Amino acid sequence: MAIFFSRMAFLHTILFVALSFSDCNFIGVESLGINYGQVANDLPPTEKVLELLKSYKLTKARIYDTSPQILTAFANSGIDLIVTIENNALRNLMDLQQALQWVTTHIRPYFPATRITGIAVGNEVFIGGDTALMANLVPAMASIHAALAKLGLDQYIHVSAPSSLAILSESYPPSAGCFRQELAAVMPQLLQFLDSTRAPFWINAYPYFAFKDEPNNISLDYVIFNSNLGMVDPYTKFHYDNMLYAQVDAVIFSMARMGFGGLEVRVSETGWPSKGDENEVGATVENASIYNRNLLRRQLANEGTPLKPVRILEREKEIKSELCILY
Ligand SMILES: *[C@@H]1O[C@H](CO)[C@@H](O)[C@H](O)[C@H]1NC(C)=O
Ligand SMILES: *[C@@H]1O[C@H](CO)[C@@H](O)[C@H](O)[C@H]1NC(C)=O
């Protein structure tokens, strides 16, 4: 299971890694990445971000656009980068000619010096009720993929679309996982596309939001990976000791209901707010530290979820070795 930290946790996570993992060796960190958001004050310069990533041996990052400055700065860094196409560009990119133009301008000049491994088409387009945008998603993904194929890049760069957990109408217990009824038409198209291009399903999962809604009913320890009794799914009998893994399995069960239980799920964002509005419970630097530290520790052990305990060999690894041979 590859996991990317949230935008809001970016700096905090970096600091945290520095404080807590300084004397550990980083075998296994390959599956962890950093979301490098640009919408914030006091962002460090890209060179500084690269230094930090390298010094903590984190090898993956995701950005929320295709900033030429960042793409250039990441050249020859050895860091795998996922780039994002903004939601408002999807409509035009349904057109193959435009998609080809887009890939030629935004990807081709930087690859392979910059190891672009994925393109996120939009972000969380299934929430917000914009049905036109939702309908444009899979056609835009298909055009981008076709454009990559035309340029011989499709074997190196996968195309997917990060979704919010709000796409599920049920997530508890995980085996009851189900996509929202409104998505009954578009979701099979997305899953079919991912299956046929062997791309992973990306989910942005923030257990914090579930906790915030029901702080009296959900144990904080369960949500921040502290030791706790956990819960047993009454149907599968799987034992869950943390909410993030339960959420990931709920997504897999939802996909399985549509016949696509074999797709790989990757966590494209997670994290914990270090500061919230006044009435928000749990949003403290300490709780965010605990969440990040526990998640790092669990993922350093290359852990999967109860439903998919063995981490599926990441295709990206094969891609890396191919790249080594080619270049
Ligand atoms: C706690 O959550 C469970 C499961 O969602 C629900 O059945 C129960 O009613 C909730 N209890 C309270 C006190 O909110
Ligand atoms: C973590 O969140 C809980 C729930 O709101 C709060 O009671 C607790 O004080 C927080 N712990 C720390 C160390 O910030």
Side-chain angles (χ1 to χ4, degrees):
M1 183 165 57
I3 295 200
F4 282 80
F5 285 102
S6 67
R7 276 171 277 184
M8 53 190 171
F10 171 65
L11 280 175
H12 185 65
T13 301
I14 288 286
L15 285 175
F16 196 75
V17 172
L19 294 173
S20 311
F21 286 88
S22 49
D23 48 17
C24 180
N25 75 25
F26 277 83
I27 297 164
V29 171
E30 271 171 272
S31 64
L32 287 167
I34 289 295
N35 284 303
Y36 178 16
Q38 295 286 290
V39 188
N41 300 321
D42 295 331
L43 281 170
T46 307
E47 289 66 30
K48 192 83 194 159
V49 171
L50 268 168
E51 268 173 39
L52 287 166
L53 281 167
K54 281 186 195 167
S55 57
Y56 305 119
K57 299 197 167 55
L58 291 167
T59 56
K60 291 177 195 290
R62 173 178 159 218
I63 58 174
Y64 288 82
D65 51 23
T66 49
S67 154
Q69 180 257 327
I70 296 179
L71 285 173
T72 304
F74 272 69
N76 306 311
S77 64
I79 290 171
D80 293 349
L81 193 65
I82 291 171
V83 300
T84 305
I85 300 177
E86 282 114 325
N87 290 355
N88 60 17
L90 300 197
R91 196 161 71 93
N92 287 342
L93 293 177
M94 291 193 294
D95 176 70
L96 182 56
Q97 254 345 90
Q98 299 231 27
L100 197 55
Q101 180 63 43
W102 188 90
V103 173
T104 306
T105 313
H106 294 89
I107 304 292
R108 188 69 199 133
Y110 307 100
F111 184 90
T114 299
R115 283 186 9 187
I116 302 167
T117 57
I119 299 176
V121 181
N123 193 40
E124 302 191 345
V125 307
F126 293 144
I127 54 168
D130 187 339
T131 50
L133 179 64
M134 282 162 57
N136 294 346
L137 177 67
V138 180
M141 293 171 80
S143 290
I144 291 290
H145 184 264
L148 288 170
K150 205 165 171 117
L151 297 171
L153 299 176
D154 58 313
Q155 53 188 313
Y156 307 112
I157 302 175
H158 61 235
V159 175
S160 191
S163 286
S164 143
L165 204 74
I167 58 171
L168 303 188
S169 57
E170 291 293 338
S171 61
Y172 180 91
S175 62
C178 194
F179 291 118
R180 283 187 184 283
Q181 187 56 39
E182 311 88 273
L183 303 176
V186 71
M187 193 53 78
Q189 294 173 27
L190 173 62
L191 300 178
Q192 181 64 61
F193 171 83
L194 297 176
D195 190 48
S196 65
T197 58
R198 298 180 62 218
F201 189 93
W202 283 340
I203 190 79
N204 296 342
Y206 291 95
Y208 172 74
F209 293 122
F211 172 73
K212 186 181 128 181
D213 290 344
E214 286 188 89
N216 300 321
N217 197 12
I218 297 175
S219 135
L220 179 71
D221 288 332
Y222 177 65
V223 189
I224 63 177
F225 294 88
N226 276 342
S227 80
N228 70 101
L229 290 177
M231 54 86 65
V232 173
D233 186 312
Y235 302 102
T236 59
K237 310 292 181 220
F238 289 149
H239 177 253
Y240 291 87
D241 67 0
N242 72 84
M243 185 181 278
L244 181 69
Y245 290 8
Q247 290 180 332
V248 169
D249 280 0
V251 173
I252 300 175
F253 275 106
S254 308
M255 298 192 310
R257 285 204 157 70
M258 294 188 155
F260 294 94
L263 283 179
E264 184 189 353
V265 173
R266 295 195 191 165
V267 176
S268 38
E269 284 182 22
T270 190
W272 192 273
S274 52
K275 197 169 186 303
D277 296 335
E278 287 205 359
N279 56 347
E280 279 179 6
V281 293
T284 66
V285 171
E286 290 80 6
N287 280 335
S289 298
I290 297 167
Y291 183 88
N292 289 342
R293 179 183 57 208
N294 284 339
L295 177 59
L296 271 169
R297 180 173 51 77
R298 301 280 295 254
Q299 285 300 305
L300 281 169
N302 277 347
E303 209 173 54
T305 65
L307 181 58
K308 298 255 168 104
V310 181
R311 214 178 94 215
I312 297 161
L313 185 73
E314 285 182 55
R315 281 200 308 131
E316 280 171 6
K317 283 190 190 133
E318 296 165 32
I319 291 167
K320 272 182 217 157
S321 51
E322 278 173 34
L323 275 179
C324 293
I325 295 164
L326 280 172
Y327 304 102

